[in-house]
Amino acid sequence: MTNNTMVTEFTLLGIPETEGLENVLLFLFSTLYACALLGNLLLLTAVTSSPRLHTPMYFFLSNLSISDMGFCSTTAPKMLSYLSGRGGGISFQGCVVQHFFYHCIGCVLCFLYTVMAYDRFVAICFPLRYTIIMNHRVCCVLATGTWMSGCVHATILTCLTFQLPYCGPSEVSYYFCDMPAVLLLACEDSSLAQRVGFTNVGLLSLICFFLIVVSYTRIGISISKIRSTEGRQRAFSTCSAHLTAIMCVYGPVIVIYLQPNPSPLLSAIIQIFNNLVTPTINPLIYSLRNKDVKAALRHVFLKRCLSLEVNENI
């Protein structure tokens, strides 16, 4: 990547059309950010501390928790700094790093949801061969592939964006260094980067969504063939949490794409929902109705309380 720019610092102008609401948004987003970090950290602790949860489903769920914490941490700290009145200045290198990790982790999340749908497909449709198909080596390959694909995807978009010269103005009309907002400031024609970026992101999301739909169509067919009501309910309960999470992720994105000309405020709301709200509710979705996760969390807290009591007695 060649830096042919005269701009050394960008200024993030923040969320569109929210002047005068900084204090309210600061309280709301800081609360969501803290809950997202705490919830995913607790879920990750429960999975790693309980041998019963060392299964493919929870292995991918751990990757999802790590990705969620990284995804919200990519944009939230700078946004909270701007809302607290410290200014929206970000260095050129900081903008490059923020852009890279936003698209890298966003791509990883997209692939993880697809891999988790495949995991549920194998568990429901091929229960007797599940442990053979989803063995440790396959899980590691799938997880590594998602992270490597995210890096490749983000590298392409970041190189396309920041190889262009930026000689002013330096005000980004958004709350983080997203590709469309930054490309508007380029001193040369950015139409190629815009087309490649839109096609890359759109095609990636579409392919993942299509694979998820195919997986759950096969799952639905298999569940419909189960004769007992209890068996159908048990099979559906293993997929309900993942389906809810997918609807929270793809639902807002579909709303954006159905709009011919979405407003900047609507686009910002959708991205904030995916950046902060979804990482906050994912731990709740995967733990509230999951007896194994709740039991693991209780065990962790009881063990911690007992160790504190022993230390106090000593």
Side-chain angles (χ1 to χ4, degrees):
M1 192 179 344
T2 305
N3 182 5
N4 296 323
T5 179
M6 294 167 56
V7 174
T8 59
E9 185 180 72
F10 291 104
T11 301
L12 302 175
L13 298 183
I15 305 169
E17 304 177 29
T18 57
E19 292 79 6
L21 300 174
E22 287 81 6
N23 292 332
V24 176
L25 295 178
L26 176 63
F27 173 76
L28 176 63
F29 294 154
S30 58
T31 302
L32 287 173
Y33 182 47
C35 291
L37 294 180
L38 179 62
N40 283 286
L41 188 60
L42 286 175
L43 184 59
L44 188 62
T45 302
V47 173
T48 54
S49 63
S50 176
R52 291 184 60 187
L53 302 183
H54 293 173
T55 61
M57 181 179 72
Y58 293 106
F59 171 73
F60 295 123
L61 187 56
S62 299
N63 279 267
L64 183 66
S65 293
I66 295 171
S67 302
D68 276 339
M69 288 189 288
F71 196 50
C72 60
S73 297
T74 302
T75 58
K78 197 64 188 176
M79 179 175 62
L80 296 177
S81 175
Y82 160 78
L83 292 172
S84 63
R86 298 178 185 175
I90 183 171
S91 66
F92 183 87
Q93 292 79 7
C95 193
V96 173
V97 171
Q98 189 182 59
H99 182 277
F100 174 84
F101 280 104
Y102 178 81
H103 285 282
C104 175
I105 301 177
C107 178
V108 170
L109 285 169
C110 194
F111 280 123
L112 274 177
Y113 283 117
T114 308
V115 170
M116 292 172 74
Y118 174 72
D119 173 71
R120 293 300 84 203
F121 160 71
V122 176
I124 300 297
C125 299
F126 305 100
L128 300 179
R129 299 173 55 196
Y130 176 68
T131 55
I132 298 175
I133 297 175
M134 299 299 294
N135 58 62
H136 179 73
R137 182 173 178 273
V138 170
C139 292
C140 290
V141 169
L142 289 174
T144 304
T146 60
W147 287 96
M148 291 182 64
S149 300
C151 290
V152 172
H153 169 77
T155 300
I156 293 172
L157 297 187
T158 304
C159 289
L160 284 172
T161 302
F162 292 98
Q163 71 178 354
L164 297 170
Y166 293 87
C167 41
S170 60
E171 294 183 339
V172 180
S173 300
Y174 213 47
Y175 70 96
F176 73 100
C177 290
D178 198 12
M179 187 176 185
V182 174
L183 285 177
L184 294 176
L185 306 178
C187 298
E188 291 184 0
D189 181 28
S190 61
S191 58
L192 175 62
Q194 289 176 343
R195 287 196 298 269
V196 173
F198 182 81
T199 303
N200 198 343
V201 174
L203 189 62
L204 176 69
S205 302
L206 186 62
I207 291 174
C208 289
F209 184 70
F210 173 76
L211 292 175
I212 291 171
V213 170
V214 171
S215 296
Y216 274 99
T217 300
R218 293 288 305 275
I219 289 172
I221 294 172
S222 297
I223 292 177
S224 65
K225 294 180 180 179
I226 299 175
R227 295 184 178 181
S228 66
T229 304
E230 183 181 353
R232 286 197 298 268
Q233 290 177 347
R234 188 183 301 111
F236 181 75
S237 65
T238 63
C239 305
S240 58
H242 188 234
L243 272 174
T244 305
I246 289 172
M247 290 174 64
C248 291
V249 171
Y250 282 97
V253 175
I254 291 173
V255 170
I256 281 289
Y257 275 93
L258 289 178
Q259 299 285 331
N261 294 303
S263 67
L265 178 60
L266 178 62
S267 299
I269 291 173
I270 297 301
Q271 285 199 315
I272 290 172
F273 185 91
N274 284 333
N275 293 354
L276 282 177
V277 179
T278 301
T280 302
I281 63 178
N282 267 349
L284 299 176
I285 291 173
Y286 287 105
S287 63
L288 284 180
R289 296 181 59 188
N290 194 309
K291 296 179 181 179
D292 293 334
V293 173
K294 289 190 287 188
L297 286 173
R298 281 195 298 268
H299 176 73
V300 169
F301 283 119
L302 287 174
K303 187 177 180 180
R304 179 63 177 172
C305 292
L306 288 174
S307 64
L308 289 175
E309 289 180 2
V310 170
N311 291 333
E312 289 176 358
N313 293 331
I314 294 175

